[in-house]
Amino acid sequence: MKYTILLLSALLLTIFSCDELDKLTQFNMKYSESITVPSSTVIDFPINLSTPSIESNTESTFAGNNTNKNLVEKIRLDEMTLTIQSPTSGDFGFLESVQLFINADGLDEIEIAYLEEVPADASNTISLETTGVNLKDYLLKDSFQLRMKSSTDETIESDHEIQINSTFFVDAKILGQ
C-alpha cells in the first residue's frame, strides 16, 4: 500500500512538474508597426496596404527565453490591435471590415486576423479576431511583412496613421524533448 501511494505521489509530482517546466518555454513576442491610410473621397474605397519588412529578431528573443529556433513547436498570433496615431480625433468608423495577412520569403501569404464588421461608432482602437494558425515558419524567417486589406464605408479627409500591435505566443520544446 505504501509503495502504491509513493508511486502515485511520484507520478502526480512528475505531471505537475512537466506543466511547470512547459511554462518555462512558453512566452510572448511583441511587434509594432505603422501604416498610413490615405485620405479618400470615395465610399467603398478598397484599401490594400503593406508594412515594410519587419525584422523578426527571433534568435535574440529565443535566447532571452532559454530556447532556440530548433526547439520551437508553434507560434500563434494571440492578440492584434489597431490604433489610430493621427489624426488625434480619428476613429475607425470609416472602415467597413479589416483583414490582416502575413507573408515571408518562400511562403504563401495567409490571413492571421480580421474584423468582419467594424462598428460605425468604433473608437481610435480596435481589436481583431485572430485565426489561430501556426505561424512558426513565418516568424522563424529573418523578416516578415503584414498586409492590411479593408474597405471604407465613409470618406476620410486626411491621412490616418495606424499602429499595428501584435502579440505572438511561442511554445518551445522542453530541454529539447
Side-chain angles (χ1 to χ4, degrees), residues 119-154:
D121 62 350
S123 67
N124 70 332
T125 299
I126 56 175
S127 293
L128 305 183
E129 297 291 324
T130 60
T131 60
V133 297
N134 188 353
L135 301 170
K136 172 184 165 183
D137 294 338
Y138 294 83
L139 276 290
L140 292 183
K141 295 284 187 174
D142 291 336
S143 64
F144 61 93
Q145 194 173 29
L146 299 176
R147 181 175 67 87
M148 183 177 97
K149 177 183 174 184
S150 62
S151 61
T152 62
D153 59 6
E154 294 178 15

Short mmCIF file of all heavy atoms in Angstrom, two decimals, residues 119-154:
data_model
loop_
_atom_site.label_atom_id
_atom_site.label_comp_id
_atom_site.label_asym_id
_atom_site.label_seq_id
_atom_site.Cartn_x
_atom_site.Cartn_y
_atom_site.Cartn_z
N PRO A 119 -17.59 48.41 -36.15
CA PRO A 119 -18.76 49.19 -35.72
C PRO A 119 -18.67 50.64 -36.19
O PRO A 119 -17.58 51.23 -36.22
CB PRO A 119 -18.69 49.12 -34.19
CG PRO A 119 -17.79 47.99 -33.87
CD PRO A 119 -16.86 47.84 -35.04
N ALA A 120 -19.80 51.21 -36.54
CA ALA A 120 -19.84 52.60 -37.01
C ALA A 120 -19.36 53.55 -35.92
O ALA A 120 -18.82 54.62 -36.20
CB ALA A 120 -21.25 52.97 -37.46
N ASP A 121 -19.53 53.17 -34.65
CA ASP A 121 -19.13 54.03 -33.54
C ASP A 121 -17.78 53.59 -32.95
O ASP A 121 -17.48 53.85 -31.79
CB ASP A 121 -20.19 54.05 -32.45
CG ASP A 121 -20.44 52.67 -31.84
OD1 ASP A 121 -19.94 51.66 -32.38
OD2 ASP A 121 -21.14 52.61 -30.81
N ALA A 122 -16.95 52.93 -33.76
CA ALA A 122 -15.64 52.46 -33.30
C ALA A 122 -14.78 53.62 -32.83
O ALA A 122 -14.84 54.72 -33.39
CB ALA A 122 -14.92 51.71 -34.42
N SER A 123 -13.98 53.38 -31.81
CA SER A 123 -13.09 54.41 -31.29
C SER A 123 -11.80 54.44 -32.10
O SER A 123 -11.76 53.95 -33.22
CB SER A 123 -12.80 54.13 -29.81
OG SER A 123 -12.03 52.94 -29.68
N ASN A 124 -10.73 54.94 -31.50
CA ASN A 124 -9.45 55.01 -32.22
C ASN A 124 -8.64 53.72 -32.07
O ASN A 124 -7.55 53.62 -32.61
CB ASN A 124 -8.63 56.22 -31.76
CG ASN A 124 -8.10 56.05 -30.35
OD1 ASN A 124 -8.69 55.36 -29.51
ND2 ASN A 124 -6.99 56.69 -30.08
N THR A 125 -9.18 52.73 -31.36
CA THR A 125 -8.51 51.43 -31.22
C THR A 125 -9.53 50.32 -31.46
O THR A 125 -10.64 50.37 -30.93
CB THR A 125 -7.91 51.27 -29.81
OG1 THR A 125 -6.93 52.29 -29.60
CG2 THR A 125 -7.24 49.91 -29.64
N ILE A 126 -9.14 49.34 -32.25
CA ILE A 126 -9.98 48.15 -32.45
C ILE A 126 -9.13 46.91 -32.25
O ILE A 126 -7.93 46.90 -32.55
CB ILE A 126 -10.67 48.12 -33.84
CG1 ILE A 126 -9.65 48.22 -34.99
CG2 ILE A 126 -11.74 49.18 -33.94
CD1 ILE A 126 -10.25 48.08 -36.38
N SER A 127 -9.74 45.87 -31.75
CA SER A 127 -9.09 44.56 -31.59
C SER A 127 -9.62 43.63 -32.66
O SER A 127 -10.83 43.60 -32.90
CB SER A 127 -9.39 43.98 -30.21
OG SER A 127 -8.78 44.77 -29.21
N LEU A 128 -8.72 42.89 -33.28
CA LEU A 128 -9.11 41.97 -34.33
C LEU A 128 -9.21 40.55 -33.79
O LEU A 128 -8.56 40.20 -32.80
CB LEU A 128 -8.09 42.02 -35.47
CG LEU A 128 -7.81 43.39 -36.09
CD1 LEU A 128 -6.83 43.26 -37.25
CD2 LEU A 128 -9.07 44.08 -36.54
N GLU A 129 -10.03 39.74 -34.45
CA GLU A 129 -10.10 38.32 -34.15
C GLU A 129 -8.88 37.67 -34.79
O GLU A 129 -8.48 38.04 -35.90
CB GLU A 129 -11.36 37.70 -34.75
CG GLU A 129 -12.66 38.26 -34.20
CD GLU A 129 -12.89 37.88 -32.75
OE1 GLU A 129 -12.53 36.74 -32.38
OE2 GLU A 129 -13.42 38.71 -32.01
N THR A 130 -8.29 36.69 -34.12
CA THR A 130 -7.13 36.01 -34.69
C THR A 130 -7.55 34.64 -35.22
O THR A 130 -8.52 34.05 -34.73
CB THR A 130 -6.01 35.85 -33.64
OG1 THR A 130 -6.49 35.09 -32.54
CG2 THR A 130 -5.53 37.22 -33.15
N THR A 131 -6.83 34.14 -36.21
CA THR A 131 -7.20 32.88 -36.85
C THR A 131 -6.64 31.66 -36.12
O THR A 131 -7.11 30.55 -36.35
CB THR A 131 -6.70 32.84 -38.31
OG1 THR A 131 -5.28 32.98 -38.32
CG2 THR A 131 -7.35 33.94 -39.13
N GLY A 132 -5.63 31.82 -35.28
CA GLY A 132 -5.08 30.72 -34.51
C GLY A 132 -4.15 29.80 -35.29
O GLY A 132 -3.74 28.76 -34.77
N VAL A 133 -3.80 30.16 -36.53
CA VAL A 133 -2.93 29.30 -37.32
C VAL A 133 -1.50 29.32 -36.77
O VAL A 133 -1.08 30.29 -36.15
CB VAL A 133 -2.92 29.70 -38.82
CG1 VAL A 133 -4.30 29.54 -39.43
CG2 VAL A 133 -2.41 31.10 -39.01
N ASN A 134 -0.77 28.24 -37.02
CA ASN A 134 0.62 28.15 -36.59
C ASN A 134 1.49 29.00 -37.52
O ASN A 134 1.57 28.74 -38.71
CB ASN A 134 1.09 26.70 -36.59
CG ASN A 134 2.46 26.52 -35.98
OD1 ASN A 134 3.15 27.48 -35.65
ND2 ASN A 134 2.87 25.28 -35.83
N LEU A 135 2.15 30.00 -36.97
CA LEU A 135 2.95 30.95 -37.75
C LEU A 135 4.45 30.72 -37.57
O LEU A 135 5.25 31.59 -37.90
CB LEU A 135 2.57 32.38 -37.36
CG LEU A 135 1.10 32.72 -37.57
CD1 LEU A 135 0.77 34.06 -36.94
CD2 LEU A 135 0.76 32.71 -39.05
N LYS A 136 4.80 29.57 -37.07
CA LYS A 136 6.20 29.25 -36.80
C LYS A 136 7.10 29.52 -38.01
O LYS A 136 8.12 30.20 -37.89
CB LYS A 136 6.32 27.78 -36.38
CG LYS A 136 7.72 27.27 -36.25
CD LYS A 136 7.71 25.78 -35.94
CE LYS A 136 9.07 25.16 -36.16
NZ LYS A 136 9.05 23.71 -35.94
N ASP A 137 6.72 29.02 -39.18
CA ASP A 137 7.56 29.18 -40.38
C ASP A 137 7.75 30.64 -40.75
O ASP A 137 8.81 31.02 -41.26
CB ASP A 137 6.95 28.41 -41.56
CG ASP A 137 6.96 26.91 -41.34
OD1 ASP A 137 7.78 26.42 -40.52
OD2 ASP A 137 6.15 26.21 -41.97
N TYR A 138 6.76 31.48 -40.50
CA TYR A 138 6.83 32.90 -40.86
C TYR A 138 7.74 33.66 -39.89
O TYR A 138 8.56 34.47 -40.31
CB TYR A 138 5.43 33.53 -40.86
CG TYR A 138 4.56 32.96 -41.94
CD1 TYR A 138 3.87 31.77 -41.77
CD2 TYR A 138 4.44 33.60 -43.18
CE1 TYR A 138 3.09 31.23 -42.77
CE2 TYR A 138 3.66 33.08 -44.18
CZ TYR A 138 2.99 31.89 -43.98
OH TYR A 138 2.23 31.35 -44.99
N LEU A 139 7.60 33.39 -38.60
CA LEU A 139 8.37 34.13 -37.59
C LEU A 139 9.80 33.63 -37.46
O LEU A 139 10.65 34.34 -36.93
CB LEU A 139 7.67 34.08 -36.23
CG LEU A 139 6.57 35.11 -35.97
CD1 LEU A 139 7.12 36.49 -35.83
CD2 LEU A 139 5.43 35.08 -36.92
N LEU A 140 10.08 32.44 -37.96
CA LEU A 140 11.46 31.95 -37.93
C LEU A 140 12.29 32.51 -39.09
O LEU A 140 13.51 32.37 -39.10
CB LEU A 140 11.50 30.42 -37.93
CG LEU A 140 10.98 29.76 -36.66
CD1 LEU A 140 11.14 28.25 -36.76
CD2 LEU A 140 11.66 30.29 -35.41
N LYS A 141 11.65 33.13 -40.05
CA LYS A 141 12.37 33.80 -41.13
C LYS A 141 13.04 35.05 -40.56
O LYS A 141 12.68 35.55 -39.49
CB LYS A 141 11.41 34.20 -42.26
CG LYS A 141 10.76 33.04 -42.98
CD LYS A 141 11.73 32.40 -43.92
CE LYS A 141 11.04 31.34 -44.77
NZ LYS A 141 11.92 30.80 -45.79
N ASP A 142 14.01 35.60 -41.29
CA ASP A 142 14.70 36.81 -40.83
C ASP A 142 13.77 38.01 -40.76
O ASP A 142 13.95 38.90 -39.94
CB ASP A 142 15.88 37.14 -41.75
CG ASP A 142 17.00 36.13 -41.63
OD1 ASP A 142 17.10 35.46 -40.57
OD2 ASP A 142 17.78 35.99 -42.59
N SER A 143 12.76 38.04 -41.66
CA SER A 143 11.80 39.13 -41.66
C SER A 143 10.48 38.64 -42.23
O SER A 143 10.41 37.59 -42.87
CB SER A 143 12.32 40.32 -42.48
OG SER A 143 12.46 39.96 -43.84
N PHE A 144 9.44 39.40 -41.95
CA PHE A 144 8.12 39.11 -42.48
C PHE A 144 7.44 40.43 -42.79
O PHE A 144 7.93 41.50 -42.42
CB PHE A 144 7.29 38.26 -41.50
CG PHE A 144 7.05 38.90 -40.17
CD1 PHE A 144 5.90 39.66 -39.93
CD2 PHE A 144 7.96 38.75 -39.13
CE1 PHE A 144 5.68 40.25 -38.70
CE2 PHE A 144 7.75 39.34 -37.90
CZ PHE A 144 6.61 40.09 -37.68
N GLN A 145 6.30 40.36 -43.45
CA GLN A 145 5.57 41.56 -43.84
C GLN A 145 4.10 41.35 -43.54
O GLN A 145 3.58 40.23 -43.66
CB GLN A 145 5.78 41.82 -45.33
CG GLN A 145 5.38 43.19 -45.78
CD GLN A 145 5.78 43.42 -47.24
OE1 GLN A 145 5.87 42.50 -48.03
NE2 GLN A 145 6.04 44.66 -47.58
N LEU A 146 3.43 42.42 -43.10
CA LEU A 146 1.99 42.38 -42.87
C LEU A 146 1.30 43.18 -43.97
O LEU A 146 1.83 44.18 -44.45
CB LEU A 146 1.64 42.98 -41.51
CG LEU A 146 2.23 42.29 -40.29
CD1 LEU A 146 1.87 43.05 -39.02
CD2 LEU A 146 1.74 40.85 -40.19
N ARG A 147 0.10 42.72 -44.35
CA ARG A 147 -0.70 43.44 -45.34
C ARG A 147 -2.10 43.60 -44.79
O ARG A 147 -2.70 42.65 -44.28
CB ARG A 147 -0.76 42.69 -46.67
CG ARG A 147 -1.57 43.41 -47.75
CD ARG A 147 -1.50 42.71 -49.08
NE ARG A 147 -2.15 41.42 -49.10
CZ ARG A 147 -3.44 41.22 -49.35
NH1 ARG A 147 -4.24 42.23 -49.61
NH2 ARG A 147 -3.94 39.99 -49.35
N MET A 148 -2.61 44.82 -44.87
CA MET A 148 -3.97 45.12 -44.42
C MET A 148 -4.86 45.29 -45.64
O MET A 148 -4.53 46.03 -46.56
CB MET A 148 -4.01 46.39 -43.58
CG MET A 148 -5.40 46.70 -43.03
SD MET A 148 -5.42 48.16 -41.97
CE MET A 148 -5.98 49.38 -43.16
N LYS A 149 -5.98 44.58 -45.63
CA LYS A 149 -6.97 44.69 -46.70
C LYS A 149 -8.28 45.10 -46.04
O LYS A 149 -8.72 44.48 -45.08
CB LYS A 149 -7.13 43.33 -47.39
CG LYS A 149 -8.18 43.32 -48.47
CD LYS A 149 -8.33 41.92 -49.05
CE LYS A 149 -9.48 41.87 -50.02
NZ LYS A 149 -9.70 40.49 -50.52
N SER A 150 -8.87 46.16 -46.55
CA SER A 150 -10.14 46.61 -45.99
C SER A 150 -10.87 47.47 -47.01
O SER A 150 -10.35 47.76 -48.09
CB SER A 150 -9.91 47.40 -44.70
OG SER A 150 -9.15 48.55 -44.96
N SER A 151 -12.07 47.86 -46.65
CA SER A 151 -12.82 48.79 -47.48
C SER A 151 -13.46 49.82 -46.57
O SER A 151 -13.67 49.58 -45.39
CB SER A 151 -13.87 48.06 -48.32
OG SER A 151 -14.79 47.42 -47.48
N THR A 152 -13.75 50.98 -47.15
CA THR A 152 -14.31 52.07 -46.37
C THR A 152 -15.81 52.17 -46.59
O THR A 152 -16.32 51.80 -47.64
CB THR A 152 -13.66 53.41 -46.76
OG1 THR A 152 -13.93 53.67 -48.14
CG2 THR A 152 -12.18 53.40 -46.53
N ASP A 153 -16.50 52.64 -45.56
CA ASP A 153 -17.92 52.95 -45.74
C ASP A 153 -18.19 54.41 -45.44
O ASP A 153 -19.32 54.85 -45.37
CB ASP A 153 -18.81 52.02 -44.92
CG ASP A 153 -18.54 52.07 -43.43
OD1 ASP A 153 -17.73 52.91 -42.99
OD2 ASP A 153 -19.14 51.27 -42.70
N GLU A 154 -17.09 55.19 -45.29
CA GLU A 154 -17.16 56.64 -45.12
C GLU A 154 -15.94 57.24 -45.82
O GLU A 154 -14.94 56.56 -46.02
CB GLU A 154 -17.08 57.05 -43.64
CG GLU A 154 -18.23 56.64 -42.78
CD GLU A 154 -18.02 57.05 -41.33
OE1 GLU A 154 -17.13 57.90 -41.04
OE2 GLU A 154 -18.74 56.52 -40.48
#
